[in-house]
Amino acid sequence: MYKKFLFSLLLLHKLFHTIFRDKMAKIPHILIIYTGGTIGMIKDYQTNVLHAFDFDHIYKSIPELNHLNCSIESISFEKPIDSSNMNPEYWEEIARIIQQHYSRVDGFVVLHGSDTMAYTASAISFMFENLSKPVIFTGSQLPIGHLRTDAKENMITAIEIAAAQMKNGRPKVAEVCIYFEYKLYRANRTTKTSAEQFEAFTSPNYPELAESGVHLKFNKPALQSIGNGKELIYRRINTHHIVLLKIFPGISKEVIQHLFNLPGLEGIILEAYGSGNAPTDPWFINLLKKALERKIPIIDITQCIAGSVMLGKYETSAELLKLGLINGYDITTEAAVSKLLYLLSTNEAQHKLKSLFESSLRGEITAV
Ligand code: ASP
C-alpha cells in the first residue's frame, strides 16, 4: 500500500515536471537602452528633417518583439540624441544604467546612432572589467518606420544574441559588441565604413563573432572567454584635452605647433601612414620631442583601415620608436580615442600608460 502510494507520487511528480518544465524554465530577461539615432527617428515631411521619436514608437513598430523567447524591458534617454552629440557624459549615463541593472538582467541591447556607435561601444568596453553578460549595440541606416528599414532585423537579432545562452544557462556572448546587418563584431574592433550601405560597419583586424543567416552561427574561438568569476569593476571616463592628428603630405608646422602647444594638453594620437610612418623633417621630430618632454603621451596608430603599426620597420618610423612613442598596433581610431580617455581617467593607470596602451585590455589589439 505504502509502496503504491510512493509510486503514484513519483508518477505525479514526473507528470507535473514534464508539463511545467518549459513554463518553469527561466527565460532570459533583456534590457533595451534607447539612446537615440536613426533607429528611433521619424521624418517630418514638412521640413524633410529626421527627428528623434518616442521609444514607444519602436515597440509599436515591432510587434514581433513580443514573440521572442525572452522578456524585454526598456529604458530610454530622457531626450534621445543624434549620436553626433555623444560625449563621455552620455557614456557615463549608459554605463550607469548597465551597472544598476547588471545583477538583475541577463543581457543588454543598446540602441544608438551609427555615426559614433564604435566610439561609445569601445568606451563602454573599457569602462567595465570582468564583464560576464552581453552588451549588444545596434542601430540602423533607415528609420524604423521606413518601408525598407534595416532597423527591425538589427534590433530583433541583437536581442536574440543578448538572450542566447548555453545549456548551463550562461550567456554565449560576454562582451561589448556591435550587431549590424547580419554580423556581430567585437565593439572595440569595429569602425563605421559606409554612410549609406546597410552593411555600415567593418572589423578589419578581428574576425566576426557571429553571423546571422537561417541560423545564428557563433564563432566560438573568436569570442571573449566567459567571465572569470571576478566581480564586475566599473570605471568612469572623463573628458580630457587630447588631440587626434591625422597627418597628410604638406601638413604645416604652424598647425601642429599650435595644437601641441595647447596648455594642459594630456595626450596625442597620431594617425600616421601605413605601418606607423611619419615625416622625418627635423621640425616635426622636434615638436614630438618637446611634447614628450612635457610628459604628453603620443600614440602612433595607422590611418590605414586594416593592418598594424610596426614601429622601426622603415626609417620613417625608426626615430618615432627611439623617441618613445606608444605603439597602437592594430587598434581602431575609435578604440584608441576611448582607450586613451579611459587610461587618463584612471589615476593608477597614468603611470603605466605606455605599457597598458600597448597591451590588450579588452581584446582591442592583437597582442604581440
Ligand atoms: N546621425 C545618426 C546618428 O548617428 C545616424 C544613425 O543613427 O545611423 O545618430
Side-chain angles (χ1 to χ4, degrees), residues 189 205 269-278 298-314 316-318 320-321 325-333 336 354 357-358 365-368:
R189 290 295 197 150
N205 292 321
I269 297 172
L270 192 69
E271 257 201 20
Y273 305 125
S275 51
N277 309 312
I298 307 179
I299 296 134
D300 188 302
I301 65 171
T302 175
Q303 40 186 266
C304 290
I305 180 89
S308 180
V309 163
M310 282 179 271
L311 284 182
K313 185 181 175 200
Y314 291 93
T316 43
S317 71
L320 307 179
L321 179 66
L325 260 67
I326 297 172
N327 194 332
Y329 296 103
D330 59 355
I331 199 163
T332 60
T333 299
K354 184 172 186 333
F357 204 101
E358 291 181 348
I365 60 171
T366 307
V368 280

Side-chain angles (χ1 to χ4, degrees), residues 35-41 50 81-86 112-117 138-142 150 180 192 195 200-201:
T35 68
T38 301
I39 193 159
M41 283 185 172
L50 289 172
I81 57 161
D82 184 290
S83 80
S84 307
N85 288 321
M86 255 305 150
H112 192 289
S114 62
D115 287 349
T116 61
M117 188 186 292
T138 195
S140 65
Q141 293 282 54
L142 282 176
D150 52 333
F180 226 89
K192 185 175 178 184
F201 288 91

Side-chain angles (χ1 to χ4, degrees), residues 174-194:
E175 55 182 297
V176 184
C177 302
I178 288 181
Y179 178 78
F180 226 89
E181 190 64 3
Y182 304 115
K183 298 205 175 115
L184 183 73
Y185 309 98
R186 174 166 299 157
N188 54 35
R189 290 295 197 150
T190 311
T191 193
K192 185 175 178 184
T193 45
S194 176

Side-chain angles (χ1 to χ4, degrees), residues 54-196:
D54 187 331
F55 184 75
D56 285 347
H57 177 68
I58 288 181
Y59 247 111
K60 274 183 222 145
S61 306
I62 314 187
E64 295 93 324
L65 290 182
N66 296 310
H67 305 300
L68 288 171
N69 192 27
C70 58
S71 53
I72 301 169
E73 167 191 343
S74 63
I75 290 185
S76 179
F77 268 17
E78 215 170 277
K79 276 201 186 123
I81 57 161
D82 184 290
S83 80
S84 307
N85 288 321
M86 255 305 150
N87 61 38
E89 274 172 37
Y90 286 120
W91 294 348
E92 166 85 2
E93 199 171 330
I94 298 170
R96 281 250 168 260
I97 296 174
I98 295 173
Q99 196 200 24
Q100 270 167 17
H101 298 269
Y102 189 76
S103 57
R104 197 177 58 79
V105 308
D106 297 291
F108 301 86
V109 170
V110 184
L111 303 179
H112 192 289
S114 62
D115 287 349
T116 61
M117 188 186 292
Y119 287 94
T120 304
S122 298
I124 300 292
S125 80
F126 293 116
M127 290 163 96
F128 288 111
E129 197 175 331
N130 305 327
L131 191 73
S132 60
K133 293 187 179 180
V135 178
I136 316 295
F137 278 73
T138 195
S140 65
Q141 293 282 54
L142 282 176
I144 195 98
H146 198 285
L147 207 56
R148 293 190 306 106
T149 189
D150 52 333
K152 283 193 184 188
E153 197 286 320
N154 284 350
M155 187 165 160
I156 290 171
T157 311
I159 296 171
E160 277 195 304
I161 291 170
Q165 294 184 338
M166 298 184 285
K167 282 202 184 97
N168 62 9
R170 304 197 75 189
K172 286 196 176 172
V173 177
E175 55 182 297
V176 184
C177 302
I178 288 181
Y179 178 78
F180 226 89
E181 190 64 3
Y182 304 115
K183 298 205 175 115
L184 183 73
Y185 309 98
R186 174 166 299 157
N188 54 35
R189 290 295 197 150
T190 311
T191 193
K192 185 175 178 184
T193 45
S194 176
E196 51 186 61

Side-chain angles (χ1 to χ4, degrees), residues 4-68:
K4 258 192 177 172
F5 174 71
L6 261 186
F7 186 67
S8 20
L9 212 63
L10 204 72
L11 269 181
L12 258 172
H13 176 261
K14 269 202 151 179
L15 193 71
F16 179 85
H17 190 75
T18 318
I19 294 172
F20 292 102
R21 185 184 47 207
D22 292 340
K23 288 207 183 327
M24 289 196 314
K26 188 186 164 294
I27 58 163
H29 188 58
I30 305 303
L31 178 64
I32 297 179
I33 305 168
Y34 175 58
T35 68
T38 301
I39 193 159
M41 283 185 172
I42 192 127
K43 203 172 190 171
D44 177 337
Y45 282 97
Q46 280 179 344
T47 57
N48 251 354
V49 170
L50 289 172
H51 292 293
F53 205 71
D54 187 331
F55 184 75
D56 285 347
H57 177 68
I58 288 181
Y59 247 111
K60 274 183 222 145
S61 306
I62 314 187
E64 295 93 324
L65 290 182
N66 296 310
H67 305 300
L68 288 171

